[in-house]
Amino acid sequence: MSGWLSRWRRQRTLERRPIPEPLWQLTLARYPFLAARSDADLQALRDMTTLFLSKKEFAGAGGLEVSDEMAVAIAAQACLPALKLGLQWFDGFVGIVVHEDAVVASRQREDEDGIVHAWDEELSGEAMSGGPVMLAWRDVEDAGESAADGYNVVVHEFAHVIDMRGGVTAALESVDPQSERGEWVNALADEYEAFADAVEAGEETFLDPYGAEALEEFFAVASEAFFVAPAELEAEQPGVYALLRTFFRQDPAGART
Ligand SMILES: [Zn+2]
């Protein structure tokens, strides 16, 4: 598609399907970490949220009706990590499935001795490569309050979507196109290992200990804190904060200055 045509489509969507002002203001009031941005960022976020809503399909599970309020809340939080990277990072999927509450998933794993371990896992969100993103509305709704703990299910799942677009190499394309496995990923892996060691040693961590599960989870968990409790993350884990600032091309701790 040529440049002017895609720009025209974008402009038409923004003009024809604007988010009503009261609904946008309500969203900012409910999720103060969104409101704590410069006016220019907020305008860009509003435009991106509008385009996101025109491209993605929301479905409620178990009879849940996804209201405009819910869709805008999810879309705005989802767009936050993509604000400077661009909406094309979300091109790999269309559907967003919203459940009323956390979903219990049956998990199974065979160990090296051939013994199958089965357990139930409670999921407040899940992102699959090419598949829909699943979210529990209860956790999304609580995101205003849970921001103090650096917790945000929407940012977590959409950080996975961004990561899955090219694995950790997506980071390299963004940060260091010349490098096969650049300094950025190595530095993140070092932070991850130090974090996993701290969790294993039983230390109190600002980041959710779940981030010790795997490098991808560490990236998603750290991204949550980066966007909803940036000052705390910068104070607790300055190295991680700096890496995410480079990756997302945003500085939310100093956003208003
Ligand atoms: Zn995760």
Side-chain angles (χ1 to χ4, degrees):
M1 193 189 296
S2 66
W4 69 265
L5 239 183
S6 67
R7 279 198 300 278
W8 175 80
R9 282 196 182 166
R10 180 180 185 280
Q11 199 51 41
R12 195 176 64 157
T13 302
L14 293 176
E15 282 163 12
R16 287 197 176 172
R17 306 180 65 178
I19 300 167
E21 180 67 17
L23 179 51
W24 182 247
Q25 291 306 329
L26 179 74
T27 308
L28 296 184
R30 282 193 178 149
Y31 306 104
F33 55 86
L34 295 177
R37 291 307 189 101
S38 68
D39 291 345
D41 274 3
L42 281 177
Q43 188 55 54
L45 183 67
R46 187 173 179 168
D47 287 352
M48 191 180 265
T49 302
T50 306
L51 296 168
F52 182 99
L53 289 167
S54 76
K55 288 180 175 188
K56 304 303 179 201
E57 286 166 13
F58 286 83
L64 178 71
E65 198 171 316
V66 181
S67 64
D68 288 354
E69 233 173 273
M70 292 160 77
V72 171
I74 291 166
Q77 294 178 73
C79 287
L80 195 55
L83 193 60
K84 306 288 170 162
L85 297 171
L87 210 47
Q88 76 278 5
W89 284 65
F90 297 154
D91 280 351
F93 79 100
V94 172
I96 296 165
V97 180
V98 187
H99 292 257
E100 177 77 50
D101 211 336
V103 172
V104 177
S106 302
R107 301 295 196 202
Q108 206 165 279
R109 186 174 58 85
E110 191 176 331
D111 68 20
E112 54 265 34
D113 300 321
I115 296 165
V116 176
H117 301 264
W119 70 98
D120 285 341
E121 189 177 9
E122 207 174 78
L123 300 173
S124 53
E126 190 169 41
M128 282 165 290
S129 190
V133 174
M134 186 279 279
L135 295 163
W137 174 247
R138 189 152 303 173
D139 288 69
V140 179
E141 198 177 23
D142 286 346
E145 284 95 73
S146 64
D149 302 319
Y151 179 70
N152 187 286
V153 66
V154 180
V155 171
H156 183 104
E157 299 311 333
F158 283 84
H160 278 318
V161 172
I162 288 172
D163 177 36
M164 283 187 300
R165 188 170 179 252
V168 269
T169 55
L172 292 178
E173 285 165 22
S174 163
V175 175
D176 183 4
Q178 308 303 324
S179 153
E180 277 281 309
R181 182 176 168 80
E183 276 172 40
W184 190 92
V185 175
N186 287 332
L188 188 73
D190 288 347
E191 293 283 357
Y192 163 66
E193 274 158 31
F195 179 75
D197 288 348
V199 169
E200 179 138 32
E203 285 172 32
E204 279 282 317
T205 56
F206 174 66
L207 289 178
D208 187 341
Y210 181 67
E213 292 272 319
L215 181 58
E216 297 79 46
E217 294 305 334
F218 181 68
F219 175 71
V221 163
S223 297
E224 295 179 58
F226 180 77
F227 287 107
V228 305
E232 289 84 349
L233 180 67
E234 194 179 27
E236 298 288 328
Q237 301 251 261
V240 176
Y241 185 90
L243 286 169
L244 295 183
R245 185 181 57 206
T246 303
F247 179 74
F248 289 111
R249 302 178 202 169
Q250 300 187 44
D251 188 8
R256 278 226 174 266
T257 58

